[in-house]
Amino acid sequence: MAEKAKATIHDIAEVLNITASTVSRALNNNPRISDNTRKLVLKTAKQLNYQPNNIAAALRNGKSHIIGIIVPTADRTFFASVVRGIEEIANKINYKVIICQSYDNYDKEVQTIDALLSARVDGIIASIGKNTEDFSHFKRAQEKGIPLVLFDRTTDELEVSQIMIDDYLGAFKVTEHLIQQGCRRIAHFTSPKKVSIFRERLRGYTDALKKHNLPVLDELIVGSNLQLEDGRKSMEKLLALPEMPDAVFSASDYGAMGAMQVLKERKIKIPQEVALAGFSNEPFTSFTDPPLTTVDQFSIQMGNMTAELFFEQLKQNGKKHLPQKTVLKPELIIRQSTLKK
Amino acid sequence: MAEKAKATIHDIAEVLNITASTVSRALNNNPRISDNTRKLVLKTAKQLNYQPNNIAAALRNGKSHIIGIIVPTADRTFFASVVRGIEEIANKINYKVIICQSYDNYDKEVQTIDALLSARVDGIIASIGKNTEDFSHFKRAQEKGIPLVLFDRTTDELEVSQIMIDDYLGAFKVTEHLIQQGCRRIAHFTSPKKVSIFRERLRGYTDALKKHNLPVLDELIVGSNLQLEDGRKSMEKLLALPEMPDAVFSASDYGAMGAMQVLKERKIKIPQEVALAGFSNEPFTSFTDPPLTTVDQFSIQMGNMTAELFFEQLKQNGKKHLPQKTVLKPELIIRQSTLKK
DNA sequence: TATATATGTACAATCGATTGCACAGATTTT
DNA sequence: AAAATCTGTGCAATCGATTGTACATATATA
């Protein structure tokens, strides 16, 4: 029972007294194989419990039918959903997906690229780590002719197809919505990191203020890592100001939650005294009390589209292609945390 | 720029006027290679931008250094975290991980097993789909000598190592905690599916009631799919009873959230009038108002342990091993939704 | 009937890395 | 100084599937 020698096409060939090439062709539906032979081969394959060895085929063909995905972390809803979206498409055309996490660690990201190249993946789909400022590891991959597509956390420093949401627009919509609700002193939680998504959200925020002739005040813009704890601290910082804000727009839902906790602890009414909005539409935002206004990023669809973009590029087989930049429109999800009226 | 022919050990050999075998040995730190040669090889490898071809090595060695993971869905926090836990361990010893989702679909699960076997993964870690009642696809994998480890959604019908949490104990603890808080009419949301985790939770619930001489009332046990909407409906059903329950223990956090929404809409006080508890410690449970008492499943650690169990088995290299069954103790997380005192 | 075309298989090289064995030259032992 | 041992490297087979080319037989065409 230990060594059920795995059957190969040679074993099948031997049984039928034909050669491995014929078996291979029969299994691959090559038209030059007679129906009779094909049937015999299939039958014998089943009998021997034959399982094709993709590794051998991959070596010969130079195609592994595996694509590598790099995400900062796989257990955040957004990334998990995008991955799911990618996998849905990949599976349909018989591709498998290797998931790698960079943990927002630059060195790990570099290593991961090398590992994927060594694994001879047919291509790479990635969302860049927060701390990455040098992109030569991605360039190396591209130079080897490996198709590369970036999503969400992207960069313009690479000639690469990318798919992201319009963070600027999302933030603009949130801010404008807050203004329409009558807020005039709107604070913003952002991240000082160089990741473009946060800069874009900041830009959307400031532009909306400007459009409505509201001042952009440094004291109301708080930088942090945007986690729950950061949200708490940022909120406390704001409450220590001479004049309280009448709204907080956090660039992350987690940051908004931290703010919500502090506000509730201090019995500050949401949204009457301070309106609150987040970004990402994490599942929990509909459960909170009050439910949180936020921005939906269509993560599964984003995964689908990323995969489609990727496979399109893969089909072109290394030929030059113009990098496409697809920008998805996010949707403002208005909930009670901002509904003053 | 298109065809930067990827360098192989033969290319390195040619440059240095030695053979590929020497290069291979040099790269693998074989002690029989002189330091001088090794240095030259490494230097040349770097110059040529050599990237080992794992596929070729895998074919030769019969080891792909890839393990397959099958989960019902990758975008649920619990599974995403377990996967992360597995990946942490796997990466440390230079293994990669292929994630596959069964979507709780039996056919897809079977196909996935075949795909992984063809990909020649070195082993499989899986959590069984809800609708799977025949396990021969897993048996087939085992017969081929592929190490298999199951987590969370497991079965005793296979001779296989498994790792799960003690759902019975978790449910028992929750129920006993509710009783200690003075609740006497405790309802339970469960699932009619054959998945053992829900049956175990139900058993923990009833046993705790019995231990404290409380009646087990059918009218208080509501079956559903345990999603948010189901929780709402179940709660409404309970509120329609002649006598209201004084506590609800849902076998899922989502179900509990549904109940919470209904209770709040009806201005029924939590926990004073109805205490509320869930199961899984989804991230959002700490954000709700009031924060939800629930049971933590240590998902990342579960992933770590699953991976460790798996690699232990892998090391034994097909030798017989006694399947181990590891049961993790879950932790009761007490929050305000059940604290009457 | 002789030649041309179709049909079905076989042969052998290939993908890139690994490894048992052989062997030459250098060093040590007796 | 002859024999034994050590060092460092080369040779060639191997992992399993694929595929261009060759070739034999069968059928169609002239």
Side-chain angles (χ1 to χ4, degrees):
Chain A
M1 138 159 357
E3 58 283 271
K4 281 236 161 141
K6 284 158 196 156
T8 72
I9 53 172
H10 294 94
D11 300 322
I12 299 177
E14 199 173 4
V15 170
L16 295 175
N17 226 1
I18 55 181
T19 62
S21 20
T22 302
V23 174
S24 172
R25 290 195 171 96
L27 292 173
N28 289 300
N29 287 317
N30 185 307
R32 303 192 47 181
I33 299 297
S34 67
D35 273 359
N36 187 40
T37 305
R38 191 189 320 282
K39 270 177 205 152
L40 283 173
V41 166
L42 290 175
K43 192 175 129 201
T44 312
K46 194 153 287 178
Q47 276 172 3
L48 297 183
N49 196 12
Y50 169 75
Q51 198 102 36
N53 184 330
N54 290 349
I55 293 199
L59 176 59
R60 168 65 213 233
N61 296 330
K63 306 248 141 282
S64 61
H65 267 226
I66 295 179
I67 65 185
I69 303 187
I70 307 179
V71 288
T73 167
D75 61 358
R76 273 268 302 284
T77 309
F78 173 72
F79 291 115
S81 297
V82 176
V83 166
R84 175 180 171 142
I86 294 172
E87 216 242 0
E88 278 176 6
I89 304 295
N91 267 228
K92 272 189 200 149
I93 51 177
N94 207 23
Y95 270 76
K96 277 168 291 301
V97 147
I98 291 187
I99 313 266
C100 304
Q101 310 183 59
S102 68
Y103 301 107
D104 278 322
N105 173 335
Y106 172 73
D107 289 332
K108 182 96 162 80
E109 190 174 277
V110 175
Q111 284 165 26
T112 301
I113 290 278
D114 279 334
L116 289 177
L117 291 179
S118 284
R120 290 297 191 271
V121 293
D122 288 353
I124 295 177
I125 294 178
S127 196
I128 300 175
K130 260 185 198 158
N131 306 305
T132 302
E133 309 200 331
D134 174 282
F135 302 97
S136 48
H137 47 307
F138 288 111
K139 257 183 209 142
R140 275 211 319 275
Q142 287 187 299
E143 277 163 11
K144 297 215 169 192
I146 304 295
L148 174 68
V149 171
L150 299 179
F151 72 90
D152 193 50
R153 306 232 204 124
T154 68
T155 177
D156 283 328
E157 294 192 25
L158 291 169
E159 288 251 330
V160 69
S161 285
Q162 36 187 293
I163 188 155
M164 58 223 302
I165 66 146
D166 191 336
D167 288 281
Y168 172 85
L169 178 64
F172 191 95
K173 280 182 174 176
V174 171
T175 312
E176 198 159 51
H177 162 69
L178 289 169
I179 296 170
Q180 279 159 1
Q181 292 295 310
C183 303
R184 290 294 172 270
R185 225 176 124 67
I186 303 171
H188 181 51
F189 293 173
T190 184
S191 161
K193 298 281 177 179
K194 277 197 148 183
V195 184
S196 70
I197 57 173
F198 298 118
R199 277 180 308 181
E200 285 299 292
R201 292 176 196 174
L202 177 58
R203 212 163 57 79
Y205 158 80
T206 54
D207 276 10
L209 291 183
K210 285 178 193 161
K211 178 182 169 197
H212 292 271
N213 296 315
L214 290 174
V216 177
L217 302 175
D218 273 355
E219 58 181 20
L220 293 183
I221 298 177
V222 192
S224 77
N225 244 326
L226 294 174
Q227 298 307 299
L228 182 85
E229 241 347 277
D230 304 303
R232 294 187 61 98
K233 284 184 193 141
S234 303
M235 191 69 235
E236 272 161 8
K237 202 182 277 180
L238 287 174
L239 292 178
L241 290 176
E243 190 181 352
M244 212 165 80
D246 56 10
V248 174
F249 163 35
S250 166
S252 102
D253 284 331
Y254 288 92
M257 283 317 304
M260 185 181 287
Q261 290 183 353
V262 169
L263 290 170
K264 285 165 101 171
E265 283 162 23
R266 308 230 185 159
K267 311 278 183 212
I268 297 172
K269 290 209 179 89
I270 309 169
Q272 292 79 4
E273 295 177 76
V274 176
L276 188 58
F279 205 109
S280 287
N281 197 19
E282 289 282 342
F284 65 79
T285 53
S286 63
F287 302 155
T288 57
D289 180 43
L292 189 71
T293 290
T294 185
V295 177
D296 189 72
Q297 300 176 281
F298 301 105
S299 39
I300 292 194
Q301 290 96 317
M302 187 176 216
N304 292 159
M305 294 186 64
T306 305
E308 274 155 11
L309 196 60
F310 172 85
F311 285 114
E312 214 167 281
Q313 184 167 329
L314 190 67
K315 256 190 283 175
Q316 306 193 303
N317 202 19
K319 284 188 203 84
K320 244 163 293 194
H321 64 278
L322 291 181
Q324 287 186 40
K325 189 164 172 173
T326 306
V327 179
L328 301 180
K329 299 269 172 257
E331 184 179 305
L332 176 61
I333 309 280
I334 299 175
R335 301 206 185 93
Q336 284 158 29
S337 69
T338 57
L339 280 181
K340 294 212 176 191
K341 302 168 179 177
Chain B
M1 139 164 350
E3 58 284 88
K4 278 233 164 146
K6 283 159 197 158
T8 71
I9 53 172
H10 294 94
D11 300 322
I12 299 177
E14 198 173 5
V15 171
L16 295 174
N17 225 359
I18 57 181
T19 62
S21 18
T22 302
V23 173
S24 172
R25 290 192 173 98
L27 292 172
N28 289 299
N29 287 317
N30 185 309
R32 305 190 47 179
I33 299 296
S34 69
D35 274 359
N36 187 40
T37 305
R38 190 189 321 281
K39 269 178 207 153
L40 282 173
V41 167
L42 290 175
K43 194 176 125 201
T44 312
K46 193 153 289 178
Q47 278 172 1
L48 297 183
N49 195 13
Y50 168 75
Q51 198 102 36
N53 183 329
N54 290 350
I55 293 198
L59 177 58
R60 169 64 214 232
N61 296 330
K63 307 246 142 283
S64 62
H65 267 226
I66 295 179
I67 64 185
I69 303 187
I70 307 178
V71 289
T73 167
D75 62 358
R76 272 268 304 284
T77 310
F78 173 72
F79 290 116
S81 296
V82 175
V83 167
R84 176 181 171 142
I86 294 172
E87 215 242 0
E88 279 175 6
I89 304 294
N91 267 229
K92 272 187 199 150
I93 52 176
N94 207 23
Y95 270 77
K96 278 168 290 302
V97 147
I98 291 188
I99 312 265
C100 304
Q101 310 184 58
S102 68
Y103 301 108
D104 277 321
N105 174 334
Y106 172 73
D107 289 332
K108 182 96 161 84
E109 191 175 276
V110 174
Q111 284 166 24
T112 302
I113 291 277
D114 279 334
L116 289 177
L117 291 179
S118 283
R120 291 296 192 269
V121 293
D122 288 354
I124 295 176
I125 295 178
S127 196
I128 300 175
K130 261 185 199 156
N131 306 306
T132 301
E133 308 200 332
D134 173 284
F135 303 96
S136 49
H137 47 308
F138 288 112
K139 256 181 211 143
R140 275 212 316 276
Q142 287 186 300
E143 276 163 12
K144 296 216 170 193
I146 304 295
L148 172 68
V149 171
L150 300 179
F151 72 89
D152 194 50
R153 308 232 204 124
T154 68
T155 176
D156 283 328
E157 294 192 26
L158 292 169
E159 288 250 328
V160 69
S161 285
Q162 36 187 295
I163 189 155
M164 57 222 304
I165 67 144
D166 191 337
D167 286 282
Y168 173 86
L169 179 65
F172 192 95
K173 280 182 174 175
V174 171
T175 311
E176 198 160 50
H177 161 69
L178 289 169
I179 296 170
Q180 279 159 5
Q181 292 295 311
C183 303
R184 289 294 172 270
R185 224 178 124 68
I186 303 171
H188 182 51
F189 293 174
T190 185
S191 162
K193 294 278 179 181
K194 277 199 150 185
V195 184
S196 70
I197 57 175
F198 297 119
R199 277 180 307 180
E200 285 297 293
R201 291 175 197 176
L202 176 58
R203 210 164 57 79
Y205 159 78
T206 53
D207 276 10
L209 291 183
K210 285 178 193 162
K211 179 182 166 195
H212 292 274
N213 296 315
L214 290 173
V216 177
L217 301 175
D218 272 357
E219 59 180 21
L220 294 182
I221 298 177
V222 191
S224 77
N225 243 327
L226 295 174
Q227 298 307 300
L228 183 84
E229 240 350 275
D230 304 302
R232 294 186 61 98
K233 283 184 195 143
S234 303
M235 190 70 235
E236 274 163 6
K237 200 181 280 182
L238 288 174
L239 292 177
L241 290 177
E243 190 181 354
M244 210 164 80
D246 56 9
V248 174
F249 163 36
S250 167
S252 104
D253 283 333
Y254 288 92
M257 283 317 303
M260 185 181 286
Q261 290 184 352
V262 169
L263 290 170
K264 285 164 100 171
E265 283 163 22
R266 308 232 184 157
K267 311 278 185 213
I268 297 173
K269 289 207 179 95
I270 309 170
Q272 292 80 3
E273 295 176 79
V274 175
L276 188 58
F279 206 108
S280 289
N281 197 19
E282 289 283 342
F284 64 77
T285 53
S286 64
F287 301 156
T288 57
D289 181 43
L292 189 69
T293 290
T294 184
V295 176
D296 189 72
Q297 301 177 278
F298 300 105
S299 40
I300 293 195
Q301 291 95 318
M302 187 177 218
N304 292 160
M305 295 185 65
T306 305
E308 274 155 10
L309 195 60
F310 171 85
F311 285 114
E312 213 167 281
Q313 185 167 328
L314 190 66
K315 256 189 282 173
Q316 305 193 305
N317 201 20
K319 283 188 203 83
K320 244 165 292 191
H321 64 278
L322 291 181
Q324 287 186 40
K325 189 165 174 173
T326 307
V327 179
L328 300 180
K329 299 270 171 257
E331 185 179 303
L332 176 62
I333 309 281
I334 298 175
R335 301 206 183 94
Q336 284 157 30
S337 70
T338 57
L339 280 180
K340 294 212 174 191
K341 304 170 180 175

